[in-house]
Amino acid sequence: MEVGIGFLGFGNIGSGVFNIIKANGQEIEKREGLRLTVKRALVRDINKKRGVEVDPGLFTANPEDVLSDPGISIVAEFMGGAEPAREYILRALEKGKTVVTANKEVIAIHWPELQEAARKTGAGLYFEASVAGGVPIIKAMAESLNANRVLEIMGIINGTTNYILSRMSDEGRSFEEVLAEAKRLGYAEPDPTMDIEGCDTMYKLSILASMAFQTRVSVEGIYREGISSITVEDIEYGKELGLAMRLLAIAKKQDGCLEARVHPTFIPQSHPLAAVRDSYNAIFIKGDMVGNLMFYGRGAGSLPTGSAVVSDIIAACHNRGRHRGMFAGNSGVCREEAKINGNWETEFFLRLTVTDKPGVLAKIAGVFGKHQVSIASVIQKGHDRDTAPLIFVTHKAQELSMRRAVEDMRHIPEVARIENLIRVER
Amino acid sequence: MEVGIGFLGFGNIGSGVFNIIKANGQEIEKREGLRLTVKRALVRDINKKRGVEVDPGLFTANPEDVLSDPGISIVAEFMGGAEPAREYILRALEKGKTVVTANKEVIAIHWPELQEAARKTGAGLYFEASVAGGVPIIKAMAESLNANRVLEIMGIINGTTNYILSRMSDEGRSFEEVLAEAKRLGYAEPDPTMDIEGCDTMYKLSILASMAFQTRVSVEGIYREGISSITVEDIEYGKELGLAMRLLAIAKKQDGCLEARVHPTFIPQSHPLAAVRDSYNAIFIKGDMVGNLMFYGRGAGSLPTGSAVVSDIIAACHNRGRHRGMFAGNSGVCREEAKINGNWETEFFLRLTVTDKPGVLAKIAGVFGKHQVSIASVIQKGHDRDTAPLIFVTHKAQELSMRRAVEDMRHIPEVARIENLIRVER
């Protein structure tokens, strides 16, 4: 069967998909009985040189050439951003064309509207490539975990920040230095804010958590903290405590409420996520039946992400006539917002700089006690100045109690600086 | 839709599947629109106490009650072993019933016959649970890697041996001691030969490699070596060299030939597989487009394996009327045997005990040279007896050359013992 595909965008991912079809199209035809044919590609500048051997007649600047071509049954979107991606995807779905997208932002923000449009015409909406690139986590969530209630997910789903944190950790270099290197190597964008501040991770967590917990987890419900305040000192003290630093996307269900948060996190060095280095991604999932699972691989890049797009295209072809919503409920669109709990329980790593006077430890311990936060371990190091580092790891405590304790500590004269507060997950 | 399920067997996995349907059946009905109902279960002794709350009328000792009940559309097989599982599966498929099995042995040995029977009646044959328990590796291979040519797979797919090796490594205890503990804890069978000697791993590799390389990889083509000869000394010297010891199932394609082997293997401590501890399983895959992927989770156990069985049952329901062979080609049965290369290239760790006389190193190095094996590193340790340990790690060399070099070393008078020869993969 020949399958006509239209591209919206032809950048990094689009050219990856194109190259995969070129290199492995015959093999795919042999195995799957599908001849994938890219018919048109919407681009801004049809004359731009693209470093891919391609018939220039493929390119068009007119979206109608993709959205209205009856020979195109699958529209693959790689434009990124919410608009005009949302508009084009809606129009494709309204015409009954199945959409395969790598766009986390448009799915995270607009999925109920898009899913509803797909349902109306019976078209499919696929987005494996939108989270963790080549790692087939969306299909696993939708089709392999369906005998389970998911209890918890913890993911490293941004390659840039994982590259920076794992290099800082392995090589003892500063955030600024490694970020500059990451930019040079193309692992970080010229403006890396979206990655560094956890926005990219937040969009992906919205998608993952919505699927895992079968309810809508909007980005507005996700607590977010980036990695720019993480120092080599934090990482080194963590190591002494057997902890490794990662930017995690976390979602857990407890007593009918969800917690959803993106922040720098210490995990035990023996945790499988601690072995995830450089720009790799991994998602750790706990199901009530299957126990712990982890999926690991390339979270970005032209060919890994392209691999996920092509597998979605193949799935869409085999599912034609009976696409199922991969999202939330499978039986239709789930608009119901999750009940979010902003006062989760976790352990904390707190690094202070204190004036080295008798009684300071007692005062700080008093504040912890007042807020029902119990201390698991303390590091107090020798030093040669007036101030000294003081590091605490707590037992599990409520987020808001801990924040209040830290607020109170600002009023202790011997506390020179609150250096960092980092959550610890095990 | 109500789905009538018949069990063949009701042991560890069967009771897990039963308990999952009981606990999460309503949730599955809500999400998937399927009411899973276990109608009958074939057991040897219908009066046996089973520790599961179940209507005794469920049990039967007559296979016909499962295989010929028109109310049963899916037969789930958990008997293990090649016979009579093969016979019952064939009969179910011939009657058009879809079969879901957790039985690696029957699939590894008889899959062409079983797949052909399924094809004839249009029934489905599903076996996610046969490899790596709860880890959804079969579906990933069949449906998420289909834009790729797989280049290589390396798997930890036997929990017993991984428990033993990771405990020996983390705690410095002997093989015998940890094996005894594993038996006590139920991680090893009373007769652990199938696990320890790599047979279990071999069956699973046959299935994985056949799917990965879209050709039949019979167990006869798989080189197999168990872990009973591994000592704490090997593991400790490996650590000094930055290496971790695992029993790996390995399959690679090169120049149109496959290598397929199961043996104790040293991998770098930074390799994601080195973080796989205790009875966990993981499969590491390299695809030409997606790059490196790893899937990690519980490789055994009632509920994790049951989770995979139930996800297969759900998939079978959604695919009814158009089941696809999950094996080799997807377009039908693949009977073509892979061309096997028994002379693969790898690095080697060789541990000798030598008489401490001048010139011994030169003699051994001469033997390496004669067989075109080049040395990457040597450890020679201080000692207080007449003999001394001598450890080599080679660069990549051919398996057969290395074996011939080791044979020659037996004739060097100063070589007191060839302690161990272990392959190294990176």
Side-chain angles (χ1 to χ4, degrees):
Chain A
M1 187 182 73
E2 180 163 12
V3 180
I5 302 164
F7 282 10
L8 300 172
F10 201 90
N12 186 35
I13 304 173
S15 59
V17 174
F18 188 84
N19 284 330
I20 290 173
I21 292 173
K22 202 156 130 183
N24 287 353
Q26 275 196 308
E27 181 72 17
I28 292 168
E29 186 169 357
K30 196 180 103 194
R31 290 190 209 173
E32 309 283 343
L34 302 167
R35 187 159 60 252
L36 307 184
T37 310
V38 183
K39 301 258 185 190
R40 297 308 290 272
L42 175 71
V43 293
R44 249 178 303 211
D45 175 4
I46 62 169
N47 297 313
K48 188 177 162 188
K49 292 263 171 262
R50 292 175 192 276
V52 180
E53 207 178 294
V54 46
D55 173 4
L58 188 78
F59 297 116
T60 172
N62 179 2
E64 285 312 310
D65 290 344
V66 172
L67 300 174
S68 298
D69 183 341
I72 289 174
S73 60
I74 294 182
V75 171
E77 185 267 317
F78 325 111
M79 296 189 297
E83 294 291 353
R86 175 189 143 277
E87 184 203 329
Y88 293 166
I89 293 174
L90 273 181
R91 281 165 59 196
L93 293 170
E94 281 159 6
K95 289 179 195 264
K97 296 184 196 303
T98 281
V99 172
V100 172
T101 177
N103 185 335
K104 63 210 166 256
E105 199 174 335
V106 78
I107 294 291
I109 299 177
H110 298 295
W111 79 260
E113 184 184 11
L114 299 177
Q115 189 69 60
E116 179 62 17
R119 197 192 56 75
K120 273 194 188 143
T121 60
L125 176 62
Y126 294 80
F127 45 88
E128 180 65 82
S130 69
V131 181
V135 184
I137 184 64
I138 300 292
K139 195 177 191 84
M141 288 271 214
E143 299 180 17
S144 295
L145 281 158
N146 43 16
N148 290 262
R149 292 173 212 259
V150 175
L151 306 175
E152 153 180 347
I153 53 181
M154 295 209 292
I156 295 171
I157 47 181
N158 178 273
T160 306
T161 47
N162 203 59
Y163 179 86
I164 293 172
L165 291 175
S166 65
R167 286 299 160 114
M168 286 173 70
S169 177
D170 291 351
E171 298 164 11
R173 292 154 69 201
S174 74
F175 173 78
E176 291 75 17
E177 195 185 333
V178 180
L179 174 58
E181 180 192 76
K183 283 188 193 172
R184 222 164 37 238
L185 295 171
Y187 290 142
E189 305 280 335
D191 175 2
T193 314
M194 288 285 286
D195 294 316
I196 299 302
E197 296 307 332
C199 302
D200 175 84
T201 304
M202 177 189 69
Y203 288 129
K204 293 168 179 167
L205 178 60
S206 163
I207 299 172
L208 282 182
S210 298
M211 294 193 68
F213 300 105
Q214 303 275 307
T215 179
R216 173 111 165 98
V217 182
S218 302
V219 293
E220 290 76 19
I222 298 175
Y223 174 81
R224 178 177 58 79
E225 207 175 280
I227 66 162
S228 52
S229 72
I230 299 299
T231 67
V232 173
E233 287 73 35
D234 296 320
I235 291 175
E236 291 300 319
Y237 284 116
K239 277 189 197 170
E240 282 187 40
L241 295 156
L243 300 171
M245 165 66 72
R246 293 291 183 272
L247 179 70
L248 293 192
I250 299 170
K252 301 185 189 185
K253 191 163 187 175
Q254 207 145 31
D255 306 324
C257 276
L258 267 191
E259 50 188 88
R261 43 195 170 103
V262 173
H263 53 63
T265 314
F266 276 126
I267 50 176
Q269 279 161 357
S270 60
H271 195 289
L273 286 173
V276 179
R277 287 195 172 76
D278 294 336
S279 63
Y280 277 97
N281 279 203
I283 297 102
F284 189 87
I285 304 178
K286 189 177 281 181
D288 64 346
M289 297 300 163
V290 78
N292 296 334
L293 285 178
M294 191 175 82
F295 300 83
Y296 165 100
R298 287 276 171 213
S302 175
L303 295 176
T305 310
S307 166
V309 170
V310 175
S311 81
D312 265 357
I313 291 173
I314 294 169
C317 295
H318 292 311
N319 292 344
R320 69 189 179 284
R322 49 179 179 189
H323 299 287
R324 299 165 62 240
M326 292 178 81
F327 232 136
N330 279 331
S331 50
V333 176
C334 179
R335 291 170 179 281
E336 200 182 322
E337 282 283 348
K339 263 172 61 188
I340 295 286
N341 170 21
N343 190 22
W344 52 82
E345 287 204 340
T346 185
E347 299 172 32
F348 294 88
F349 165 105
L350 176 66
R351 183 164 71 88
L352 307 176
T353 297
V354 299
T355 321
D356 199 15
K357 285 189 189 154
V360 53
L361 189 56
K363 280 191 189 171
I364 295 168
V367 171
F368 275 124
K370 181 184 153 200
H371 293 283
Q372 314 289 328
V373 178
S374 133
I375 300 167
S377 53
V378 185
I379 301 181
Q380 189 169 10
K381 275 289 168 77
H383 57 96
D384 48 11
R385 282 164 300 179
D386 303 345
T387 58
L390 191 55
I391 288 91
F392 296 90
V393 176
T394 74
H395 287 295
K396 274 203 174 178
Q398 292 186 346
E399 173 76 20
L400 299 183
S401 302
M402 188 64 194
R403 285 191 209 164
R404 280 190 291 262
V406 170
E407 249 345 283
D408 278 8
M409 285 179 204
R410 293 190 197 281
H411 302 118
I412 301 176
E414 292 89 343
V415 174
R417 281 187 304 280
I418 311 281
E419 300 286 1
N420 223 334
L421 176 68
I422 297 166
R423 291 154 196 93
V424 181
E425 297 284 334
R426 293 186 195 270
Chain B
M1 187 181 74
E2 179 163 12
V3 180
I5 302 164
F7 282 10
L8 300 172
F10 200 90
N12 186 36
I13 303 173
S15 59
V17 173
F18 188 85
N19 284 329
I20 290 173
I21 292 173
K22 201 156 131 182
N24 288 353
Q26 275 196 308
E27 182 71 18
I28 291 167
E29 186 169 358
K30 197 180 102 195
R31 290 191 210 172
E32 309 283 343
L34 302 167
R35 186 157 62 252
L36 307 184
T37 309
V38 184
K39 301 258 185 189
R40 297 309 289 275
L42 175 71
V43 293
R44 249 177 303 211
D45 175 5
I46 62 169
N47 297 314
K48 188 177 162 188
K49 292 265 171 263
R50 292 174 193 277
V52 180
E53 207 178 296
V54 46
D55 173 4
L58 188 77
F59 296 115
T60 172
N62 179 1
E64 285 311 309
D65 290 344
V66 172
L67 300 174
S68 297
D69 183 341
I72 289 174
S73 59
I74 293 182
V75 171
E77 185 267 316
F78 324 111
M79 297 189 298
E83 293 292 352
R86 175 189 143 277
E87 185 202 328
Y88 294 166
I89 293 174
L90 273 180
R91 281 164 59 195
L93 293 170
E94 281 160 5
K95 290 179 194 265
K97 295 185 197 302
T98 281
V99 172
V100 172
T101 177
N103 185 335
K104 63 206 165 257
E105 199 173 334
V106 78
I107 294 292
I109 298 178
H110 297 295
W111 79 262
E113 184 185 11
L114 299 177
Q115 189 68 60
E116 179 63 16
R119 197 192 56 76
K120 273 194 186 143
T121 61
L125 177 62
Y126 294 80
F127 45 87
E128 180 65 82
S130 70
V131 180
V135 184
I137 184 64
I138 299 292
K139 196 177 191 84
M141 288 272 213
E143 299 180 17
S144 295
L145 281 159
N146 43 16
N148 289 262
R149 292 174 212 258
V150 175
L151 306 174
E152 156 180 344
I153 53 182
M154 295 210 291
I156 295 171
I157 47 180
N158 178 273
T160 307
T161 47
N162 203 58
Y163 179 85
I164 293 172
L165 291 176
S166 66
R167 286 298 161 115
M168 286 173 70
S169 177
D170 290 352
E171 298 165 9
R173 292 154 68 202
S174 74
F175 172 78
E176 291 74 18
E177 195 184 334
V178 180
L179 174 59
E181 181 192 75
K183 282 188 194 173
R184 222 164 39 238
L185 296 171
Y187 289 142
E189 305 280 334
D191 176 1
T193 314
M194 287 286 284
D195 294 316
I196 300 302
E197 296 307 333
C199 302
D200 175 84
T201 304
M202 177 188 69
Y203 288 127
K204 294 167 179 167
L205 178 60
S206 164
I207 299 173
L208 282 182
S210 298
M211 294 193 69
F213 299 104
Q214 304 274 307
T215 180
R216 173 112 165 97
V217 182
S218 302
V219 293
E220 290 76 18
I222 298 175
Y223 173 81
R224 177 177 59 79
E225 206 175 280
I227 66 162
S228 52
S229 72
I230 299 299
T231 67
V232 173
E233 287 73 34
D234 296 320
I235 291 175
E236 290 301 319
Y237 284 116
K239 277 189 196 169
E240 282 188 40
L241 294 156
L243 300 172
M245 164 66 71
R246 292 291 184 271
L247 179 70
L248 293 192
I250 300 170
K252 300 185 189 185
K253 192 163 186 176
Q254 208 144 31
D255 307 325
C257 276
L258 268 190
E259 51 188 89
R261 43 195 170 103
V262 173
H263 53 63
T265 314
F266 276 126
I267 50 177
Q269 279 161 359
S270 60
H271 195 288
L273 286 172
V276 179
R277 288 195 171 74
D278 294 337
S279 63
Y280 276 96
N281 279 203
I283 296 102
F284 190 87
I285 305 177
K286 188 176 280 180
D288 63 346
M289 297 300 162
V290 78
N292 296 335
L293 284 178
M294 191 175 82
F295 300 84
Y296 166 101
R298 287 276 172 214
S302 176
L303 296 176
T305 310
S307 166
V309 170
V310 175
S311 81
D312 265 357
I313 292 173
I314 295 170
C317 296
H318 292 311
N319 292 344
R320 69 189 179 282
R322 50 179 179 187
H323 299 288
R324 299 166 62 241
M326 292 179 80
F327 232 134
N330 280 331
S331 51
V333 177
C334 179
R335 292 170 178 280
E336 200 182 321
E337 283 283 348
K339 262 170 63 187
I340 295 285
N341 170 21
N343 190 22
W344 52 81
E345 288 204 339
T346 185
E347 298 171 32
F348 293 89
F349 166 104
L350 176 66
R351 182 164 69 89
L352 306 175
T353 297
V354 298
T355 320
D356 198 16
K357 285 189 188 152
V360 54
L361 189 56
K363 279 191 189 171
I364 296 168
V367 171
F368 275 124
K370 181 183 153 200
H371 293 283
Q372 315 288 329
V373 177
S374 128
I375 300 167
S377 51
V378 184
I379 300 181
Q380 188 169 12
K381 275 289 169 75
H383 57 96
D384 48 12
R385 283 163 301 179
D386 302 347
T387 57
L390 191 56
I391 288 91
F392 296 90
V393 176
T394 73
H395 287 295
K396 273 202 175 178
Q398 293 187 346
E399 173 75 20
L400 299 183
S401 302
M402 189 64 194
R403 285 190 208 164
R404 280 191 291 262
V406 170
E407 250 345 282
D408 278 7
M409 285 178 204
R410 292 190 197 282
H411 302 118
I412 300 176
E414 292 89 344
V415 173
R417 281 187 305 280
I418 311 281
E419 301 286 1
N420 223 334
L421 176 68
I422 297 166
R423 291 154 195 93
V424 181
E425 297 284 333
R426 294 188 193 267

